Amino acid sequence: MEKQEYINIAEQELLHTYNRFPVVLDHGKGVYLYDTDGKEYLDFAAGIAVCALGYGNEEYGNSLKEQVDKLLHTSNLYYNTPVIEAAQKALKSSGMDRIFFTNSGTEAIEGAIKAAKKYAYTRDGHAGHEVIAMEHSFHGRSIGALSVTGNAHYQEPFEPLMPGVKFAKYNDLDSVKALITDKTCAIIMETVQGEGGIYPAQSEFIEGVRALCDEKDILLILDEVQCGMGRTGKMFAWQHYGVKPDIMCCAKALGCGVPVGAFFMTQRVADKSLAPGDHGTTYGGNPLVGAAVSAVFDLFEKNRILEHVNTVAPYLEKKLDELVAKYDFLTARRGKGLMQGVVSTLPVGKISAKALEHGLIVITAGSDVLRFVPPLVIEEKHVDEMIEKLEASLLEVAKEQKQQ
Ligand SMILES: *Cc1c(COP(=O)(O)O)cnc(C)c1O
């Protein structure tokens, strides 16, 4: 079948919730993807910060294949060994005490909110608690996760959402302080805001929020779904700061392509929160995803992924800074490690589309940010290739805009 036929059929079958680019991806190798016509794309999106190990990693693939032949699924009524090993590795790398595996980032957020509410319920002997979230945040699309997502456009058609959510300004400690009441049970935020436009937390802010939480026994929920798993140069982005969350959410690169998420908590929270009957999942933490997560942690260690990120990220930053300095239509760069954003006055959607023509996958964040979240295994030569393709795309879009 021809590419266009696939696309036509897809547009009749799949619910139209995405305006997709006219590309049908077929396979991947290293940091490159190939479409059904055999065209090569350098991938600086990693399936939205998922494929940290790139494509076709043999050891990762073999771990999955072995598990497929052995046992795909049981249920959470029994124990299984892959998930026990995965949990051990995840807890060791985070310093957290307890973990619950989910099937997505959204579900990790749902679990985290429930855990925080239950903690406050146990402590106070009643329900009716509130959550403080951040403007321009993104936590997912289910009703609970959407309720803490600070984006009116995403929320409006689905109201009323979960009640008791207030929105503070990210990186503005006073705006958080002003919203705290006796009912506040949790403050939820991304350690680095992703979809909202790549905004890292400032130290004074995140450390200030931590201090407020300690003072008032409010739980700090950090959403590390996008910025976690080595992306910023530490296993979890909060490890850059003098803070530790009470509850942490993780997903995306946790399974490097297998649908898995998790929420982690400290023992102090676990003691007063979700108990048998309070929460559950059919698939969550099944043997297949357990094997994937376990292999991911092993390969991060064996291939020294964090060291690699810390070596290659400064090069990416330098190259992006040079580009920002060179062109008026690029106004700023911000980010941490291999989670970078460049602000542009040109329409960023058009740049993404043009980049595809040049064989580069780069995505957007917010309304005016180009987002760079490549596989963590990229090398300097890939940065050079990306910059070359991006620059060509930018110049063409700039020219087209002028002609209009
Ligand atoms: C992607 C994302 C989510 C939602 O994860 P899904 O796996 O798409 O459900 C939540 N929080 C952040 C910060 C994300 O980037």
Side-chain angles (χ1 to χ4, degrees):
M1 225 192 304
E2 287 293 313
K3 176 177 100 174
Q4 197 53 47
E5 283 177 71
Y6 277 115
I7 293 174
N8 294 344
I9 295 170
E11 286 306 325
Q12 285 165 33
E13 293 171 340
L14 304 176
L15 195 65
H16 190 205
T17 54
Y18 285 93
N19 289 318
R20 292 174 212 265
F21 294 104
V23 172
V24 186
L25 292 171
D26 183 66
H27 63 283
K29 186 79 204 148
V31 297
Y32 293 92
L33 284 165
Y34 300 85
D35 70 13
T36 46
D37 297 333
K39 180 171 170 176
E40 182 180 89
Y41 301 86
L42 174 62
D43 182 20
F44 262 65
I48 316 191
V50 168
C51 308
L53 297 168
Y55 304 95
N57 183 296
E58 215 168 302
E59 286 167 84
Y60 170 79
N62 287 339
S63 304
L64 286 185
K65 285 173 199 159
E66 274 170 38
Q67 193 58 46
V68 165
D69 289 337
K70 222 169 144 187
L71 183 64
L72 264 182
H73 180 77
T74 55
S75 81
N76 282 309
L77 301 176
Y78 313 96
Y79 301 96
N80 74 73
T81 49
V83 82
I84 296 169
E85 283 171 25
Q88 226 167 14
K89 291 166 192 174
L91 293 175
K92 185 171 164 235
S93 72
S94 62
M96 303 295 282
D97 302 313
R98 296 275 177 168
I99 185 167
F100 183 103
F101 285 99
T102 65
N103 308 298
S104 67
T106 302
E107 283 172 78
I109 298 292
E110 293 291 328
I113 294 171
K114 280 180 72 177
K117 287 194 171 198
K118 181 73 193 297
Y119 174 87
Y121 173 86
T122 308
R123 181 194 58 201
D124 300 345
H126 63 78
H129 293 89
E130 296 173 348
V131 175
I132 296 175
M134 300 296 145
E135 292 176 5
H136 307 297
S137 60
F138 183 83
H139 298 293
R141 307 290 199 144
S142 63
I143 295 292
L146 185 59
S147 301
V148 292
T149 288
N151 182 322
H153 175 73
Y154 288 171
Q155 288 192 333
E156 205 181 272
F158 309 105
E159 284 170 354
L161 298 171
M162 181 180 88
V165 180
K166 294 170 173 175
F167 289 95
K169 287 195 164 56
Y170 195 71
N171 280 331
D172 180 345
L173 190 58
D174 288 335
S175 80
V176 178
K177 262 187 208 159
L179 296 180
I180 293 179
T181 71
D182 290 345
K183 291 186 187 164
T184 310
C185 72
I187 298 176
I188 183 168
M189 60 191 223
E190 294 151 90
T191 318
V192 180
Q193 284 195 329
E195 310 292 320
I198 315 292
Y199 289 94
Q202 289 162 2
S203 325
E204 317 83 69
F205 176 68
I206 195 168
E207 288 165 15
V209 169
R210 177 70 271 177
L212 280 176
C213 288
D214 289 341
E215 198 183 309
K216 310 213 184 249
D217 197 20
I218 293 168
L219 299 181
L220 175 60
I221 304 173
L222 290 181
D223 181 345
E224 291 262 340
V225 170
Q226 188 163 159
C227 61
M229 293 306 290
R231 179 143 301 276
T232 66
K234 299 263 191 196
M235 196 50 131
F236 299 102
W238 55 264
Q239 293 166 334
H240 287 283
Y241 306 91
V243 302
K244 184 179 171 181
D246 301 296
I247 303 175
M248 167 176 81
C249 299
C250 188
K252 291 200 163 92
L254 179 62
C256 282
V258 166
V260 58
F263 59 100
F264 303 55
M265 61 181 78
T266 60
Q267 191 59 43
R268 183 175 74 89
V269 178
D271 286 341
K272 283 192 193 155
S273 68
L274 304 174
D278 283 338
H279 202 55
T281 164
T282 299
Y283 280 133
N286 82 6
L288 180 70
V289 303
V293 172
S294 208
V296 167
F297 279 104
D298 286 349
L299 287 167
F300 264 60
E301 197 166 305
K302 184 172 166 220
N303 298 341
R304 298 172 181 268
I305 297 291
L306 295 184
E307 268 175 52
H308 180 72
V309 170
N310 289 311
T311 310
V312 75
Y315 188 72
L316 173 63
E317 288 183 351
K318 181 176 138 230
K319 288 288 162 176
L320 290 175
D321 283 341
E322 285 171 10
L323 217 55
V324 171
K326 192 166 166 187
Y327 295 110
D328 286 345
F329 49 71
L330 303 179
T331 55
R333 175 195 64 79
R334 50 179 184 253
K336 247 184 176 12
L338 291 180
M339 182 170 182
Q340 296 289 334
V342 167
V343 186
S344 178
T345 54
L346 296 172
V348 288
K350 284 195 179 157
I351 300 169
S352 276
K354 186 65 78 181
L356 284 172
E357 290 173 22
H358 286 272
L360 169 67
I361 295 183
V362 59
I363 54 178
T364 64
S367 57
D368 61 352
V369 178
L370 287 168
R371 171 167 36 165
F372 304 86
V373 286
L376 303 184
V377 295
I378 55 152
E379 290 168 18
E380 290 190 1
K381 65 177 185 210
H382 301 123
V383 174
D384 290 337
E385 186 185 334
M386 181 278 286
I387 294 285
E388 204 177 291
K389 291 180 162 161
L390 180 64
E391 197 165 0
S393 313
L394 288 166
L395 290 172
E396 282 175 35
V397 173
K399 198 170 154 200
E400 285 169 15
Q401 289 300 111
K402 247 190 215 149
Q403 284 164 354
Q404 274 176 8

